[in-house]
């Protein structure tokens, strides 16, 4: 590939008509991926003045800086890239923003492992040196997943690549924190949080994965002080009893009414604790009495606040028993459990140990069992934010596909709890809060303060915690566009048009982006600005959402529909699949299987099939170039200036097959765009595949071969016109395919223009738009008759085992003069494509003959002397009748479904209505034939 000057003076890649004999994706994909980046083809700047183009913008869900591409990434990015390329070719001002997330816990763990291999711990190197070590790690290893994306040709704007710890984004994070704090929506308090002893930090409810496991329920007797009575309580975590500060009974429980106001002696700790009455105790569950441990259970914590109970924390941050655990101090929590149970049994206070299923919570990052722990943390008061985010979705300002996820989102938002945003890590956005060591005042500021705001002191210590990674990534739809500055990017590209993501981060990320976007882009408390007087509250809310639509894609599973996991050994590396079959074939597989709401069972055999599809296109193109070089050297597609017309340009519809293929192309272009509008990637891929392989390659090219073969006089002119038509059609079809298979289409498109295309890339050309004047339903109907005739004869030949080279006579019976005329006018095509020696028309029905195919508008008989096995023919006809009956039932079911009729395209409904009487005629003919064989 070399470079030459395009008509507008820009440099473009040059590829001659000479395509290599075989399609080798590895040879072309790397070259074009590098070319797209070098040429900055997908870079876009916000226009400085009004631009008539509609805007399409979306944010790449930022992969973790620690990550490598997996099949889920490729699936998601394939769908995004298809949508972006399609919208760009449709004339939209298109922006796809790439970036990576700093991934607080994950990245810190990676660097800690590095230190561990050197025999060090992060505490030994200190915070500042550790953070610098993380930055160094990120510089060396952090871009791996983006490098893989570049290799795959993702059409993002690489000039806008961000990292969530970049200074401009860090400034925006501090701004958000300070504003929320000043509004009373961020607060610090001691609450029960999910604590991961391995990661050494609080984790949110969403970061805890629960699984039911077989555990134990321990029943323990607590002596009532001053009596010979006991109260029996049950627990699954007996080690936490060392921190008990009460036993609760229900006020309405008559069994314990005489014990109200008394105390029990806490076993093993010899500490008196009160018996309290509280709804925490359910008279109908267990003994009706429960232990209360405010520092180690969220429900007990709330009960403790109601009764002003002490909060005794008996574990440290590593889940080892601390000094409050008395003789058990220093033991791991599970070692302590064993010792506590042994000691209770020795003292006669262990009533029973029963099998019990426990919903065990584990850290989603490291799979360590989390511990409910009392800890001082920073929280966001989410109710006001959630209220606006709920309203935005209920009013349709954010739409979900599939639609059921709207209710999933709303159900979670209706029951949302305050968000713990602090993490006990060193890597991440450090919380912009400082404590005065002289007066304990907390100062929250955008910049590092130098003195206290409440006293003369200047000894200030910054909070050691960092923010939850999802806090900063939840701001990305507006911070990646320059907020808090009032940028032109924000004005043009916000709200973004679409978010494509997985269900697993619907609550982690999607919900939080909606909350934060609705609050900060158009806060309800914001003073009126110029122009606001004309806007209603609804208008303001509509403009504040981070995206207009959310498409939730499915999961990629293995061929047996099992979830991919390293432990199962069924994880597919997309890079390995790509190296074997090519990026385009892999992308097409993912698109063809991407039905909304249905998980993909990825099967490499499908990818091999689409690799063959790419070969088919490649070989068809080489066939076209071979004929071009022979009869029309130098012929290139017609183009209008620097941007080809959206339809097929320069096509002369001379013969029936020309009118048919032109009409079919326009109809398929319309159907593909409708499918992409509805995120039906599978329907779009299927439509393109059927057109390219079936209609263009298997039918149209075969039909025009006689014309292409002409070399003299008027016939040569016909060949040249046929070549021109084929080139025009192929160029438009390449544009149709490009969003799904960008590499092979780029190579062929440049070759079509003999290395001198009107634009730098087919990605910048216009996507085909159906032209009403090029639609020809009559040609499609006529061609369908000829296709059915040819296929019927081919099938009969196969059943009769006719030698491939042997031509056989056929008889046709039809009651329609138009059908007979059509076949007579296309007799040559029928004879050539069906292996027919002679076509004759019968005056009477062929129903009594063998070797007959019955179609709705004709019967055809292959004249071939071979004895037909009546029994075998009966079996075949019965199967055919069953197929027809099934299709009739399906058509009638669809036509009787009002919901289907209201949503289906008009041409689909019309096609079904025409098909119903055709099927009825076929059924009657088949039944008649069966009756004769009996």
């Amino acid at each position: 590939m070399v470079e030459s000057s395009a008509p507008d003076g820009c440099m473009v890649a040059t590829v001659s008509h000479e395509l290599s004999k075989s399609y080798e994706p590895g040879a072309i994909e790397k070259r074009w991926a590098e070319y797209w980046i070098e040429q900055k083809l997908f870079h876009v700047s916000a226009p400085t003045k009004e631009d008539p183009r509609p805007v399409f913008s979306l944010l790449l869900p930022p992969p973790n800086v620690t990550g490598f591409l997996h099949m889920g990434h490729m699936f998601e990015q394939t769908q995004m890239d298809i949508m972006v390329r399609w919208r760009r070719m449709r004339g939209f001002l298109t922006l796809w923003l790439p970036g990576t997330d700093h991934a607080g816990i994950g990245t810190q763990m990676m660097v800690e492992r590095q230190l561990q291999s050197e025999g060090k711990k992060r505490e030994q190197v200190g915070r500042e040196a550790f953070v610098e070590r993380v930055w160094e790690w990120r510089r060396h290893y952090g871009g791996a997943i983006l490098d893989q994306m570049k290799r795959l040709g993702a059409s993002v704007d690489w000039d806008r690549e961000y990292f969530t710890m970049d200074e401009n984004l860090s400034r925006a994070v501090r701004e958000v924190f300070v504003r929320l704090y000043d509004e009373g929506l961020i607060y610090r308090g001691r609450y029960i949080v999910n604590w991961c002893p391995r990661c050494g930090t609080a984790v949110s409810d969403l970061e805890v994965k629960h699984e039911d496991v077989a555990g134990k329920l321990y029943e323990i007797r607590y002596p009532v002080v001053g009596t010979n009575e006991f109260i029996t309580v049950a627990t699954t975590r007996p080690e936490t009893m060392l921190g008990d500060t009460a036993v609760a009974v229900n006020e309405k429980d008559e069994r314990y009414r005489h014990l109200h106001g008394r105390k029990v002696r806490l076993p093993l700790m010899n500490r008196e604790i009160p018996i309290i009455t509280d709804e925490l105790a359910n008279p109908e569950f267990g003994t009706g009495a429960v232990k209360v441990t405010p520092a180690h259970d969220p429900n007990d914590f709330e009960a403790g606040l109601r009764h002003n109970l002490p909060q005794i924390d008996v574990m440290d941050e590593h889940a080892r028993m601390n000094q409050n655990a008395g003789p058990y101090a220093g033991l791991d929590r599970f070692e302590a459990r064993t010792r506590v149970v042994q000691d209770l049994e020795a003292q006669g206070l262990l009533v029973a140990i029963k099998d019990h299923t426990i919903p065990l919570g584990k850290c989603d990052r490291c799979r360590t069992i989390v511990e409910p722990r009392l800890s001082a943390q920073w929280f966001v008061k989410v109710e006001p934010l959630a209220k606006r985010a709920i309203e935005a979705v209920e009013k349709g300002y954010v739409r979900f596909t599939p639609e059921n996820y709207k209710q999933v989102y709303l159900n979670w938002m209706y029951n949302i709890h305050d968000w713990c945003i602090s993490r006990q890590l060193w890597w991440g956005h450090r919380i912009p809060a400082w404590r005065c060591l002289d007066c304990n005042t907390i100062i929250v500021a955008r910049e590092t303060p130098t003195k206290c705001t409440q006293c003369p002191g200047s000894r200030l210590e910054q909070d050691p915690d960092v923010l939850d990674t999802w806090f900063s990534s939840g701001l990305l739809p507006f911070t990646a566009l320059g907020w808090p500055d009032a940028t032109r990017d924000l004005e043009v590209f916000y709200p973004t048009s679409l978010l494509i993501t997985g269900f697993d981060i619907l609550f982690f990320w999607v919900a939080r982006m909606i909350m934060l976007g609705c609050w900060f882009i158009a806060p309800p408390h914001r003073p009126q600005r110029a122009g606001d007087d004309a806007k209603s509250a609804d208008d303001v809310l509509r403009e504040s959402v981070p995206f207009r639509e959310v498409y939730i894609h499915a999961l990629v599973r293995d061929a047996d529909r099992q979830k991919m996991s390293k432990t199962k050994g069924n994880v597919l590396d997309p890079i390995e699949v790509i190296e074997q079959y090519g990026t385009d074939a892999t992308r097409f597989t993912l698109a063809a299987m991407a039905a909304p709401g249905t998980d993909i069972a990825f099967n490499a055999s499908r990818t091999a099939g689409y690799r063959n599809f790419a070969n088919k296109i490649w070989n068809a193109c080489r066939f076209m170039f071979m004929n071009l070089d022979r009869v029309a050297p130098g012929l290139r597609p017609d183009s209008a200036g620097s941007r080809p017309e959206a339809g097929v340009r320069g096509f002369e519809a001379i013969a029936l097959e020309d009118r048919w293929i032109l009409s079919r192309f326009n109809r398929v272009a319309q159907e593909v765009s409708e499918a992409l509008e509805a995120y039906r990637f599978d329907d779009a891929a299927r439509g393109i595949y059927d057109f390219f392989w079936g209609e263009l390659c298997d039918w149209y090219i075969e039909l025009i071969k006689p014309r292409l073969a002409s070399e003299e006089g008027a016939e040569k002119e016909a060949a040249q016109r046929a070549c021109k038509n084929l080139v025009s059609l192929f160029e438009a079809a390449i544009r149709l395919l490009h969003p799904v298979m960008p590499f092979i289409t780029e190579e062929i498109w440049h070759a079509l223009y003999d290395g001198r295309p009107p634009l730098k890339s087919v990605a910048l050309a216009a996507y085909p738009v159906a032209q009403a004047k090029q639609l020809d339903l009559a040609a499609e109907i006529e061609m369908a008759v000829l296709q059915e005739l040819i296929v019927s004869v081919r099938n009969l030949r196969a059943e009769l085992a006719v030698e491939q080279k042997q031509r056989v006579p056929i008889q046709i019976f039809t009651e329609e003069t138009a059908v007979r005329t059509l076949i007579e006018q296309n007799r040559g095509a029928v004879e050539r494509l069906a292996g027919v020696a002679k076509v004759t028309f019968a005056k009477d029905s062929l129903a009594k003959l063998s070797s007959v195919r019955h179609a709705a508008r004709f019967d055809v008989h292959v004249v071939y002397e071979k004895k037909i096995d009546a029994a075998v023919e009966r079996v075949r006809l019965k199967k055919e009748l069953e197929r027809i009956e099934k299709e009739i039932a399906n058509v009638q079911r669809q036509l009787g479904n009002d919901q289907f009729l209201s949503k289906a395209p008009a041409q689909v409904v019309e096609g079904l209505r025409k098909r119903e009487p055709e099927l009825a005629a076929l059924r009657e003919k088949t039944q008649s034939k069966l009756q004769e064989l009996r």
Side-chain angles (χ1 to χ4, degrees):
M1 182 176 72
V2 296
E3 289 186 339
S4 65
S5 181
D8 59 1
C10 63
M11 300 305 292
V12 297
T14 298
V15 179
S16 70
H17 271 175
E18 188 63 36
L19 291 181
S20 60
K21 186 174 182 180
S22 61
Y23 169 59
E24 297 295 339
I28 67 171
E29 289 176 358
K30 183 175 184 294
R31 172 160 45 89
W32 287 118
E34 291 174 353
Y35 169 79
W36 293 331
I37 295 173
E38 289 167 3
Q39 296 294 319
K40 298 182 181 294
L41 288 186
F42 310 123
H43 173 63
V44 61
S45 298
T48 55
K49 58 182 179 179
E50 290 302 317
D51 190 310
R53 290 176 294 174
V55 172
F56 183 80
S57 57
L58 77 165
L59 184 74
L60 174 77
N64 290 344
V65 71
T66 57
F68 287 89
L69 196 75
H70 57 65
M71 195 56 81
H73 285 132
M74 185 166 184
F75 178 48
E76 182 175 88
Q77 291 171 18
T78 293
Q79 293 181 329
M80 283 188 279
D81 196 45
I82 289 172
M83 295 302 295
V84 171
R85 288 178 183 269
W86 175 61
R87 291 290 184 183
R88 186 184 290 117
M89 295 177 74
R90 291 280 303 273
F92 283 69
L93 178 63
T94 304
L95 173 63
W96 185 10
L97 276 166
T100 48
D101 192 277
H102 64 277
I105 294 178
T107 309
Q108 180 158 318
M109 285 175 63
M110 297 289 285
V111 178
E112 284 181 344
R113 287 173 189 162
Q114 271 192 349
L115 289 173
Q116 189 176 14
S117 68
E118 300 168 12
K120 300 176 185 176
K121 292 186 177 180
R122 64 181 167 105
E123 291 80 6
Q124 292 174 289
V125 301
R127 182 168 191 151
E128 187 175 342
F130 178 80
V131 170
E132 179 52 40
R133 181 76 176 255
V134 179
W135 277 106
E136 182 182 346
W137 183 92
R138 185 252 174 181
R139 284 189 287 270
H140 281 87
Y141 306 105
I145 196 165
L146 293 185
D147 289 341
Q148 290 175 322
M149 279 185 64
K150 290 174 182 176
R151 175 180 174 181
L152 300 182
S155 63
V156 301
D157 187 345
W158 291 110
D159 288 346
R160 292 174 175 267
E161 180 187 335
Y162 64 81
F163 178 53
T164 51
M165 289 284 285
D166 288 341
E167 177 50 39
N168 58 325
L169 295 182
S170 296
R171 179 170 69 94
V173 169
R174 293 193 298 273
E175 180 68 27
V176 166
F177 188 96
V178 172
R179 288 194 195 183
L180 289 175
Y181 182 82
D182 289 345
E183 293 164 3
L185 297 179
I186 282 184
Y187 62 93
R188 182 172 169 80
R190 283 175 61 82
Y191 294 91
I192 295 289
V193 296
N194 303 299
W195 186 269
C196 175
R198 161 61 187 82
C199 298
T201 182
V203 291
S204 72
D205 290 344
L206 293 173
E207 294 168 296
V208 177
K209 299 301 178 187
H210 290 88
E211 54 186 68
D212 289 339
V213 300
K216 301 294 181 183
L217 186 68
Y218 303 88
E219 293 184 354
I220 306 167
R221 298 197 299 177
Y222 285 39
V224 179
V225 175
T227 73
N228 293 324
E229 290 187 69
F230 298 88
I231 287 183
T232 300
V233 300
T235 180
T236 59
R237 298 156 62 215
E239 68 279 6
T240 63
M241 68 174 289
L242 305 175
D244 286 359
T245 55
V247 168
V249 296
N250 194 286
E251 187 176 18
K252 298 177 182 179
D253 194 334
E254 294 296 334
R255 292 171 295 176
Y256 301 113
R257 184 172 295 277
H258 66 292
L259 298 179
H260 291 184
R262 305 200 66 137
K263 294 183 177 182
V264 295
R265 186 172 303 281
L266 179 62
L268 308 182
M269 299 301 286
N270 200 30
R271 184 172 70 237
E272 291 186 3
I273 57 176
I275 297 173
I276 61 172
T277 56
D278 194 276
E279 292 184 358
L280 182 67
N282 181 354
E284 297 179 3
F285 182 78
T287 65
V290 295
K291 60 191 280 301
V292 183
T293 322
H296 290 279
D297 183 273
N299 294 320
D300 293 4
F301 173 79
E302 296 295 336
L305 293 180
R306 290 193 290 270
H307 296 274
N308 198 27
L309 297 175
Q311 300 166 342
I312 302 176
D313 186 356
V314 296
M315 294 184 202
D316 65 16
E317 66 271 23
H318 303 297
R320 302 187 74 84
M321 311 310 289
N322 62 22
Q323 68 278 6
N324 294 331
Y328 305 95
L331 294 177
D332 171 80
R333 54 183 164 166
F334 300 118
E335 294 173 340
R337 178 178 300 178
T338 301
R339 282 272 302 276
V340 164
V341 171
Q342 289 173 347
D343 292 348
L344 287 170
E345 189 172 24
Q347 295 180 24
L349 298 175
L350 185 66
V351 178
I353 303 175
K354 298 178 179 178
D355 291 334
H356 186 71
T357 301
I358 301 172
L360 199 63
K362 293 183 178 180
C363 173
D364 190 38
R365 173 65 58 177
C366 67
R367 311 305 296 167
T368 301
I369 297 172
V370 298
E371 193 67 40
R373 182 170 185 252
L374 185 64
S375 177
Q377 303 287 341
W378 291 88
F379 295 85
V380 173
K381 184 180 180 181
V382 297
E383 184 181 358
L385 284 73
K387 183 179 179 182
R388 286 177 65 76
I390 289 169
E391 183 183 0
V393 171
E394 287 181 332
K395 290 184 173 179
Y397 302 152
V398 177
R399 296 179 295 276
F400 285 87
T401 303
E403 195 173 354
N404 62 291
Y405 284 108
K406 172 183 176 180
Q407 198 56 50
V408 174
Y409 163 90
L410 290 173
N411 288 343
W412 188 74
M413 293 294 286
Y414 292 148
N415 299 286
I416 197 170
H417 301 290
D418 284 359
W419 176 14
C420 176
I421 57 171
S422 49
R423 298 291 183 269
Q424 289 64 54
L425 302 170
W426 285 357
W427 173 244
H429 294 282
R430 195 161 177 182
I431 288 176
W434 289 261
R435 183 174 67 88
C436 175
L437 298 180
D438 295 320
C439 69
N440 280 329
T441 294
I442 298 296
I443 305 162
V444 172
R446 294 169 178 83
E447 304 295 337
T448 303
T450 56
K451 61 180 182 179
C452 181
T453 57
Q454 300 297 319
C455 79
S458 58
R459 295 190 307 137
L460 306 178
E461 182 179 72
Q462 187 172 2
D463 193 298
D465 292 350
V466 300
L467 287 164
D468 178 10
T469 297
W470 297 104
F471 186 89
S472 55
S473 59
L475 309 173
L476 285 172
F478 53 95
T479 58
L481 292 171
W483 191 94
D485 298 332
T487 65
R488 180 65 176 157
D489 278 346
L490 266 174
E491 190 177 341
V492 173
F493 297 115
Y494 190 95
T496 60
S497 310
L498 171 67
L499 176 73
I500 295 182
T501 189
F503 168 74
D504 54 337
I505 55 175
L506 176 60
F507 308 129
F508 276 119
W509 193 43
V510 179
R512 287 163 178 171
M513 283 191 287
I514 298 174
M515 285 193 290
L516 293 165
C518 290
W519 193 261
F520 282 97
I521 296 302
H525 54 277
R526 187 196 69 192
Q528 289 288 96
R529 298 182 306 188
D532 278 2
D533 53 345
K535 294 180 180 178
S536 67
D538 277 355
D539 290 334
V540 172
L541 182 59
R542 185 185 296 109
E543 293 173 9
S544 71
V545 297
F547 26 73
R548 299 295 187 198
E549 297 191 30
V550 181
Y551 174 67
I552 304 292
H553 62 69
L555 292 176
V556 182
R557 300 180 179 272
D558 70 9
D560 297 320
R561 295 198 171 275
Q562 297 296 309
K563 187 174 181 179
M564 292 187 188
S565 71
K566 291 179 181 178
T567 54
K568 292 179 181 177
N570 63 346
V571 174
L572 277 174
D573 181 351
I575 299 300
E576 292 180 2
V577 177
I578 285 164
E579 287 175 349
Q580 184 174 2
Y581 301 108
T583 305
D584 282 338
T586 309
R587 284 170 60 109
F588 204 95
T589 306
L590 293 169
M593 302 178 77
T598 304
D599 288 350
I600 283 182
F602 189 87
N603 193 324
S605 64
R606 286 282 296 270
T607 312
Y610 294 126
R611 172 69 161 77
N612 294 336
F613 175 51
N615 279 337
K616 184 85 169 180
I617 296 168
W618 188 265
N619 291 333
C621 188
R622 291 188 72 249
F623 170 81
M624 176 181 65
F625 286 156
M626 177 185 70
N627 284 278
L628 278 178
D629 293 340
R630 183 174 54 81
V631 300
L635 178 66
R636 294 195 296 168
D638 195 356
S639 63
S642 62
R643 190 171 179 82
E645 189 177 282
V648 182
R649 188 173 166 82
F651 190 98
E652 296 182 70
I654 302 165
L656 170 62
E657 60 263 27
D658 297 326
R659 293 166 46 219
W660 166 74
I661 196 67
L662 188 60
S663 183
R664 287 301 305 144
F665 174 81
N666 280 273
R667 206 170 299 283
V668 169
Q670 179 179 336
E671 291 168 356
V672 168
S673 285
E674 289 172 353
L676 291 177
E677 286 279 7
Y679 310 110
R680 295 293 314 214
F681 299 97
D682 55 334
D683 289 346
R686 189 180 305 111
I688 293 170
Y689 181 93
D690 290 345
F691 175 79
F692 249 108
W693 190 301
E695 295 175 324
L696 176 57
C697 294
D698 282 358
W699 284 103
Y700 183 67
I701 289 178
E702 292 300 321
L703 284 165
I704 66 170
K705 276 183 178 180
R707 279 192 278 164
L708 291 173
S710 305
E711 294 189 10
E712 298 296 334
E715 291 185 346
K716 183 174 182 180
E717 291 180 10
Q720 290 171 339
R721 286 196 297 271
C723 277
K724 184 180 180 183
N725 281 353
L726 187 55
V727 168
S728 299
L729 182 66
F730 222 97
E731 188 276 339
I734 286 298
R735 287 187 275 123
L736 182 75
L737 175 62
H738 176 73
V740 188
M741 300 180 90
F743 291 102
I744 190 173
T745 51
E746 189 76 275
E747 182 81 4
I748 292 175
W749 194 73
H750 279 258
L752 281 166
Y753 286 97
D754 206 15
R756 293 180 294 278
L759 296 162
K760 287 184 176 183
S761 169
V762 64
L764 305 180
Y767 198 76
V769 175
Q771 308 293 307
K773 63 184 179 182
Q774 293 181 346
L775 292 171
D776 191 334
L777 183 59
E780 292 186 47
I781 293 172
E782 289 179 357
M783 191 64 198
V785 172
L786 292 177
Q787 288 174 308
E788 189 171 17
L789 173 60
I790 291 167
V791 170
S792 295
V793 174
R794 287 173 177 173
N795 290 340
L796 283 169
R797 287 172 56 95
E799 290 171 15
L800 295 169
V802 178
E803 292 289 334
Q804 186 173 356
K805 293 182 179 180
Q806 183 178 355
R807 293 183 171 273
V808 292
I810 62 170
Q811 286 185 317
I812 299 170
F813 172 74
T814 178
E815 296 177 336
E816 299 183 43
T817 303
V819 172
R820 176 167 180 162
T821 302
L822 173 68
I823 296 171
E824 287 177 336
Q825 290 174 344
N826 294 274
R827 184 188 299 265
V830 172
E831 290 176 348
R832 186 166 51 84
L833 298 182
V836 171
K838 184 179 180 182
V839 176
T840 58
F841 289 88
K843 294 181 180 180
D844 300 317
S845 171
L846 305 174
K848 295 182 179 180
L849 299 176
S850 59
S851 308
V852 175
R853 276 289 182 275
H854 303 289
R857 304 180 69 181
F858 63 84
D859 295 340
V860 59
H861 164 57
V862 171
V863 182
Y864 184 69
E865 293 184 5
K866 180 175 180 179
K867 185 174 177 61
I868 298 297
D869 187 323
V872 171
E873 182 66 4
R874 277 197 298 271
V875 170
R876 186 192 69 77
L877 287 170
K878 284 180 181 178
K879 288 182 179 178
E880 177 67 8
L881 186 60
E882 288 174 4
R883 183 194 68 77
I884 293 169
E885 295 281 12
K886 186 175 181 181
E887 188 176 351
I888 288 174
N890 186 50
V891 168
Q892 290 175 342
R893 177 182 56 78
Q894 289 178 300
L895 291 175
N897 186 329
D898 292 338
Q899 187 176 4
F900 170 80
L901 294 176
S902 66
K903 292 183 178 181
Q907 67 269 24
V908 172
V909 175
E910 183 62 24
L912 288 171
R913 286 180 175 144
K914 288 181 179 179
R915 184 63 175 157
E916 189 175 19
E918 291 176 357
L919 289 168
L922 282 174
R923 177 172 59 186
E924 184 179 348
K925 288 181 180 181
T926 307
Q927 288 171 336
S928 174
K929 187 64 179 175
L930 260 176
Q931 186 63 35
E932 289 170 9
L933 286 174
R934 293 189 182 114

